[in-house]
Amino acid sequence: MNNRYIDLEIQGGKIRRFTNLVLDYTGTLSFDGILLPGVAERLVRISEGLRITIMTADTFGMAAAQTKDLPVEFRIIKTGVEKAGAVLAMGGENVIAVGNGRNDAPMMDKAGLKIAVMGQEGASAELVRVADVVVHDIRDALDLIIHPLRLKATLRD
């Protein structure tokens, strides 16, 4: 696992190496606790290049069952401070963080690339303020990682 990474060209043509993708579950990967269609396939593809961790308070109590067959690490984490600590432990600047809630803002502050998702359950204004990129749907966020030239165009100086 330690030799997996992706390089992305962001902000001023700088190449950044990312080793981890951290995702919120409730409202980001799911709607009413159910994993959104098309997400699993994208996570499998991304797992070839990045270590993926899902961190969630699991509001609906279904996240573990919904993600059990995916190549991800799953963690129940209650607070944004806990999420931020986990991102720092993974290397901070080498982490892509994706979320939609206010408790995702602290982890975004520690991550090298911050993507806010404004899905069906909305997005916290606090989170949107700290994000590098804001997308309408989690599938769009995951596709930015799969197709990095899209990301390059968005973050170009």
Side-chain angles (χ1 to χ4, degrees):
M1 263 188 205
N2 292 337
N3 61 354
R4 291 192 299 183
Y5 63 87
I6 62 168
D7 291 330
L8 298 175
E9 185 177 337
I10 60 173
Q11 298 170 323
K14 295 178 186 171
I15 302 292
R16 298 280 303 277
R17 178 160 288 174
F18 294 96
T19 56
N20 290 273
L21 172 62
V22 174
L23 300 152
D24 171 58
Y25 184 78
T26 305
T28 302
L29 294 174
S30 68
F31 180 67
D32 288 342
I34 304 294
L35 191 68
L36 290 165
V39 168
E41 296 84 356
R42 287 170 173 87
L43 292 178
V44 168
R45 185 163 175 194
I46 291 169
S47 73
E48 296 170 8
L50 295 173
R51 180 175 180 217
I52 301 172
T53 303
I54 295 173
M55 293 193 290
T56 181
D58 200 13
T59 304
F60 292 92
M62 301 183 330
Q66 290 284 307
T67 60
K68 68 179 174 61
D69 295 327
L70 294 176
V72 302
E73 179 183 346
F74 180 82
R75 296 186 195 178
I76 297 290
I77 294 185
K78 299 290 183 187
T79 70
V81 172
E82 287 179 88
K83 286 184 176 186
V87 167
L88 277 176
M90 292 176 198
E93 288 296 314
N94 300 320
V95 176
I96 300 169
V98 183
N100 78 313
R102 191 174 75 165
N103 73 343
D104 296 320
M107 78 170 174
M108 296 283 190
D109 186 51
K110 306 302 182 195
L113 178 62
K114 310 146 183 61
I115 303 174
V117 175
M118 294 185 62
Q120 292 173 295
E121 295 181 14
S124 160
E126 182 179 341
L127 178 72
V128 170
R129 280 193 297 275
V130 300
D132 295 314
V133 178
V134 179
V135 297
H136 174 71
D137 186 276
I138 184 59
R139 290 158 289 218
D140 297 333
L142 298 174
D143 286 346
L144 289 175
I145 297 165
I146 293 167
H147 305 284
L149 287 179
R150 296 175 189 171
L151 189 60
K152 177 182 175 182
T154 301
L155 295 176
R156 183 176 293 140
D157 284 339

